[in-house]
Amino acid sequence: MNLYRFFKTRVFYITLLITVISFGLLSRLETDPSSQFDNEQTVQEEEHVGIVATEDITAETSFEQLYASLTASGYILIMVGIFAIVYTEQERKSGFLKNLLTTRREKKNIFAAKIPVVFLYTLIMFLGSLLAIRLGSLGRGEGMYEIKSMGVLFRFITDEVILHTVFGIAMMAIYEITRNTIIPIMLAIFGSANLHGMLLNMIESKLVSMRPSLAGFMEKYALSRNLIVTKINVLGDEGMDFPSMNLIVVITIGLILYSVMGMLIFTKRDTI
């Protein structure tokens, strides 16, 4: 039933269309050789508005690097967060839940059943952006922006899709707490910019300055470095060089934490 509702949801098609067009145009502009300036002052004055690559794009940049840099900009993350919130709200407003006869114990399955939908939405968004960026970067010259490793590209997409899905689950859980769309959407926007990570980093830096003996511990286990959004950003810059075990631990903890939190909150509600 959730999959049926998913393909009937207008938000899915609208956001996918906007994403494909945006990434297609952006990749065309970012990979335009005429946009590479030798004048240092001109480069400093150049301003980007909207989605931008997280690193400089040059003729030596591989397609994997181009794709990772553009998709890690935070745009898809915002779309996933907002979709998860809107999809959950529409479920409640449409009266879909009122037609479900279920026990209090089984209510948690209603929340859990939406997780595959968020995963599917995220996967389609990444595949759509993959096609758009590929088409946008074609025709730039022989050997430019070529795919050097399908394995690297596949691993990056897999990691990012799962990380974005966990973020979407977190937004669904927050929606269930507030039963309001404004607060979760604001948190999705601020969260995609990793403002909470910056705040945590400032606090951790202050603790290290007060207690220098904590420097080694913070270097390995700082919370600001092990957030979902932080991993998404770092993957866009480092790709395959990123420690896989650390990523698996963060994904596992986030997936369990937000899923259980959402299911418990949903179960505790007297009404659905």
Side-chain angles (χ1 to χ4, degrees), residues 91-108:
E91 178 185 56
R92 181 163 284 105
K93 284 188 174 182
S94 66
F96 174 76
L97 294 179
K98 295 180 180 179
N99 297 323
L100 294 178
L101 298 177
T102 183
T103 64
R104 187 181 185 90
R105 180 178 299 178
E106 293 177 344
K107 282 168 62 177
K108 65 179 182 297

Side-chain angles (χ1 to χ4, degrees), residues 32-51:
D32 187 354
S34 64
S35 66
Q36 305 298 328
F37 299 100
D38 294 327
N39 189 304
E40 185 175 343
Q41 182 178 0
T42 305
V43 174
Q44 291 178 348
E45 293 177 354
E46 182 184 6
E47 293 184 359
H48 291 279
V49 179
I51 316 166

Side-chain angles (χ1 to χ4, degrees), residues 146-163:
E146 64 179 356
I147 300 177
K148 295 182 178 179
S149 174
M150 288 297 296
V152 171
L153 185 60
F154 177 78
R155 176 178 171 180
F156 173 80
I157 294 176
T158 301
D159 291 340
E160 287 285 28
V161 166
I162 297 175
L163 284 168

Side-chain angles (χ1 to χ4, degrees), residues 225-243:
R225 298 182 182 182
N226 293 283
L227 299 174
I228 295 297
V229 180
T230 304
K231 298 306 182 189
I232 290 173
N233 294 336
V234 173
L235 271 176
D237 295 330
E238 299 185 12
M240 286 291 289
D241 295 329
F242 195 78

Side-chain angles (χ1 to χ4, degrees), residues 39-258:
N39 189 304
E40 185 175 343
Q41 182 178 0
T42 305
V43 174
Q44 291 178 348
E45 293 177 354
E46 182 184 6
E47 293 184 359
H48 291 279
V49 179
I51 316 166
V52 296
T54 58
E55 62 179 21
D56 293 334
I57 304 299
T58 66
E60 289 73 31
T61 301
S62 67
F63 177 76
E64 300 95 290
Q65 293 171 324
L66 172 66
Y67 179 72
S69 183
L70 292 176
T71 54
S73 62
Y75 173 83
I76 296 182
L77 193 63
I78 295 177
M79 290 296 185
V80 170
I82 292 178
F83 171 80
I85 296 166
V86 172
Y87 181 81
T88 305
E89 183 192 35
Q90 288 182 348
E91 178 185 56
R92 181 163 284 105
K93 284 188 174 182
S94 66
F96 174 76
L97 294 179
K98 295 180 180 179
N99 297 323
L100 294 178
L101 298 177
T102 183
T103 64
R104 187 181 185 90
R105 180 178 299 178
E106 293 177 344
K107 282 168 62 177
K108 65 179 182 297
N109 296 330
I110 299 176
F111 181 90
K114 291 191 287 288
I115 295 177
V117 173
V118 177
F119 173 81
L120 180 61
Y121 173 81
T122 307
L123 179 61
I124 293 175
M125 290 289 279
F126 268 90
L127 294 179
S129 64
L130 175 68
L131 178 62
I133 294 172
R134 185 57 181 164
L135 292 176
S137 62
L138 290 177
R140 291 307 189 191
E142 185 178 355
M144 294 178 64
Y145 314 113
E146 64 179 356
I147 300 177
K148 295 182 178 179
S149 174
M150 288 297 296
V152 171
L153 185 60
F154 177 78
R155 176 178 171 180
F156 173 80
I157 294 176
T158 301
D159 291 340
E160 287 285 28
V161 166
I162 297 175
L163 284 168
H164 280 66
T165 301
V166 175
F167 182 81
I169 297 171
M171 293 302 106
M172 284 199 302
I174 293 175
Y175 171 81
E176 293 299 341
I177 294 174
T178 61
R179 290 289 174 93
N180 180 282
T181 58
I182 297 178
I183 295 176
I185 287 178
M186 290 180 62
L187 291 177
I189 295 174
F190 292 139
S192 64
N194 204 19
L195 296 182
H196 57 305
M198 297 178 189
L199 178 60
L200 280 173
N201 184 257
M202 292 174 58
I203 296 174
E204 291 164 355
S205 299
K206 186 65 176 178
L207 290 174
V208 171
S209 64
M210 296 172 59
R211 298 287 299 274
S213 59
L214 294 174
F217 177 84
M218 288 298 183
E219 183 70 22
K220 292 182 178 181
Y221 306 108
L223 183 60
S224 62
R225 298 182 182 182
N226 293 283
L227 299 174
I228 295 297
V229 180
T230 304
K231 298 306 182 189
I232 290 173
N233 294 336
V234 173
L235 271 176
D237 295 330
E238 299 185 12
M240 286 291 289
D241 295 329
F242 195 78
S244 58
M245 184 54 65
N246 176 265
L247 184 64
I248 292 172
V249 171
V250 171
I251 288 175
T252 302
I253 293 176
L255 186 61
I256 295 175
L257 176 64
Y258 296 125

